[in-house]
Amino acid sequence: MVKAGLEDIVAAESSICDVDGTAGRLIYRGYDIHDLAENSTFEEVIYLLWFGQLPTKSELDKLTKDLNSNRALPKPVIDALHNYPKKALPMEVLRTAVSMLSMYDPDGDDNSIPASTRKATRLMAQFPTIVAYWDCIRNGRDLKAPKEDLTIAANFLYMLKGETPDEVSTKSLDIALILHADHELNASTFAGRVAAATLTDMYSAVVAAIGTLKGPLHGGANQEVIKMLIEINDPEKAKAYVEKKLAEHQKMMGFGHRVYKTEDPRAHHLRIMSEELGKRLKDERWYKMSREIEEVVFKQKGLYANVDFYSASVYYMLGIPIDLFTPIFAISRMSGWAAHILEQLSNNRLIRPRADYTGARNLKYAAITSR
Ligand SMILES: CC(C)(COP(=O)(O)OP(=O)(O)OC[C@H]1O[C@@H](n2cnc3c(N)ncnc32)[C@H](O)[C@@H]1OP(=O)(O)O)[C@@H](O)C(=O)NCCC(=O)NCCS
């Protein structure tokens, strides 16, 4: 029997990430996401996902150096960014720029595991530069050269805003990047693995993943959430707004999940961050509205908030433009995509499922003049 949307179908063996939807647990390479969110850094998590264990100090130093020294974009790619239409969506820009970058990669068409790992490192380093530069270019701001002494989170905020960010903003973004880094066979990762399994290159597989993440049922949901919060704009009005939407059988963005039947463990951290950032800014509107919405949706539909619900208010309070929310998800998920693509390549078999044919049979061709 066909399972619509491949629900609960196991399509790969993987040692990267485990999602326990009943217990609400998320594990990267054996480590609970709560432990990583509280104690780790995004750079450490990248190492963990790619190489299977937490790094020693020297291993982390080496990866950090590789990541930080590869942030610059080739000049033709920067020139191309300047030529894109200013209304281009940041996810379109990211998808297109990544595709272009493949033509400038020094490893060329070498798709061995070591070369693919180097390509992943360059992509991981260049994703934030593309996103920040695009926002500067479309708004007529000067481009800041990346700073090698800053972490991925701090350097991204620096390139985006033109000034070194404060510790709270950097830490908040770093935790958000850890939380979004991997999630087993989510749609974009699956797309990336399907592409990789044809033995295409790292860039092609990542382009497939970016295009898949863009959809509102996947990474695009966080942007829809903040648009909804802005539309409501007042915690007092949140309950009535949600009740009306649910009565009209509309989907509430940022709620529900294919795998989690309980709270998404990532939402827990983002909810706390949303509350803390609100207090710090002395504007708790976004957090209060979110809480109100969460209660009504749970009472009426039994649905829990997912990772996209509270990340929306967190990014908004960090002063990040709304249409960069999904690209930030992509910056983080690039780490998980690469881990999965490398895992696929290390034990590859073409992914080629079957379809249950439901169309007509035995029709006879009729000439166009007689149809
Ligand atoms: C994540 C999502 C795509 C999972 O989809 P899925 O596993 O295919 O689940 P379905 O869309 O089939 O939903 C199952 C039921 O729950 C309801 N439901 C699921 N998510 C809902 C939501 N966000 N708002 C309202 N109802 C929802 C559906 O209407 C459906 O009800 P029905 O059986 O009465 O028709 C879905 O929950 C969704 O669209 N959420 C909003 C988008 C979002 O936040 N995406 C980010 C995911 S991290």
Side-chain angles (χ1 to χ4, degrees):
M1 201 188 61
V2 174
K3 283 266 206 159
L6 299 182
E7 181 170 356
D8 290 335
I9 300 289
V10 176
E13 279 188 349
S14 175
S15 63
I16 300 169
C17 177
D18 186 34
V19 181
D20 181 338
T22 313
R25 287 192 77 194
L26 170 59
I27 291 180
Y28 297 166
R29 301 276 193 193
Y31 295 91
D32 195 293
I33 194 66
H34 297 307
D35 199 5
L36 294 170
E38 279 157 24
N39 298 306
S40 188
T41 62
F42 184 47
E43 281 79 359
E44 263 194 343
V45 166
I46 296 170
Y47 190 98
L48 175 67
L49 291 172
W50 291 4
F51 302 109
Q53 74 252 334
L54 283 172
T56 60
K57 170 90 173 62
S58 64
E59 287 167 337
L60 182 62
D61 287 348
K62 159 103 178 52
L63 178 69
T64 304
K65 189 165 172 281
D66 288 346
L67 288 169
N68 296 9
S69 58
N70 275 294
R71 286 173 174 159
L73 301 177
K75 184 170 178 310
V77 175
I78 297 179
D79 291 345
L81 289 175
H82 280 283
N83 286 322
Y84 294 160
K86 297 289 176 281
K87 64 171 182 42
L89 298 173
M91 283 299 279
E92 291 178 296
V93 169
L94 182 63
R95 191 189 58 210
T96 308
V98 165
S99 188
M100 188 173 178
L101 276 174
S102 84
M103 295 181 271
Y104 297 90
D105 193 289
D107 278 300
D109 62 0
D110 181 352
N111 292 324
S112 62
I113 299 272
S116 297
T117 308
R118 288 192 295 273
K119 289 178 182 182
T121 307
R122 293 183 196 110
L123 279 168
M124 194 69 248
Q126 289 168 326
F127 260 46
T129 313
I130 298 168
V131 177
Y133 276 14
W134 175 244
D135 193 61
C136 293
I137 288 169
R138 69 177 173 175
N139 290 303
R141 294 197 304 274
D142 290 342
L143 304 186
K144 296 279 176 194
K147 280 193 177 178
E148 283 195 30
D149 58 337
L150 294 180
T151 63
I152 293 174
N155 179 63
F156 172 69
L157 292 172
Y158 163 73
M159 287 191 298
L160 183 66
K161 300 184 176 202
E163 53 193 42
T164 309
D166 61 65
E167 265 181 42
V168 174
S169 303
T170 302
K171 185 69 189 158
S172 302
L173 182 59
D174 193 62
I175 295 173
L177 294 175
I178 293 171
L179 296 173
H180 288 79
D182 197 46
H183 215 229
E184 197 222 48
L185 283 196
N186 59 92
S188 57
T189 302
F190 187 53
R193 283 189 82 131
V194 169
T198 69
L199 298 184
T200 187
D201 61 295
M202 173 64 69
Y203 286 85
S204 301
V206 169
V207 167
I210 295 172
T212 309
L213 184 74
K214 178 172 170 283
L217 293 187
H218 192 5
N222 53 15
Q223 300 185 185
E224 300 307 315
V225 171
I226 197 66
K227 286 181 199 158
M228 173 176 74
L229 295 181
I230 291 169
E231 194 184 330
I232 302 172
N233 200 37
D234 178 355
E236 301 274 301
K237 295 186 180 148
K239 188 165 182 274
Y241 179 96
V242 180
E243 284 173 348
K244 182 165 177 291
K245 265 203 138 185
L246 292 178
E248 291 166 354
H249 302 290
Q250 291 193 44
K251 270 202 167 172
M252 293 296 299
M253 288 298 157
F255 286 90
H257 200 274
R258 175 61 66 76
V259 183
Y260 291 119
K261 304 301 168 214
T262 181
E263 167 147 302
D264 179 336
R266 301 167 299 176
H268 167 76
H269 295 274
L270 291 158
R271 186 189 291 109
I272 294 171
M273 275 155 59
S274 175
E275 182 176 20
E276 285 173 355
L277 286 171
K279 283 191 176 135
R280 191 161 168 264
L281 290 174
K282 301 197 178 6
D283 180 4
E284 294 181 63
R285 227 175 343 151
W286 313 107
Y287 171 73
K288 283 186 176 162
M289 265 188 277
S290 303
R291 288 295 291 158
E292 196 67 42
I293 294 168
E294 202 181 7
E295 261 178 43
V296 181
V297 175
F298 184 71
K299 257 191 209 147
Q300 295 210 0
K301 298 282 294 185
L303 290 170
Y304 293 88
N306 59 45
V307 70
D308 290 305
F309 189 62
Y310 280 100
S311 64
S313 52
V314 165
Y315 295 154
Y316 195 63
M317 286 188 273
L318 290 177
I320 293 169
I322 294 170
D323 59 3
L324 297 196
F325 291 10
T326 312
I328 290 175
F329 191 156
I331 290 171
S332 165
R333 189 56 59 85
M334 176 58 217
S335 60
W337 291 334
H340 279 270
I341 292 164
L342 292 169
E343 185 178 64
Q344 182 67 40
L345 290 177
S346 66
N347 183 20
N348 189 54
R349 190 160 189 233
L350 182 77
I351 298 173
R352 203 295 188 196
R354 295 297 313 272
D356 193 7
Y357 179 69
T358 58
R361 291 183 194 277
N362 302 322
L363 302 179
K364 287 278 171 268
Y365 181 83
I368 196 158
T369 46
S370 59
R371 280 177 224 155

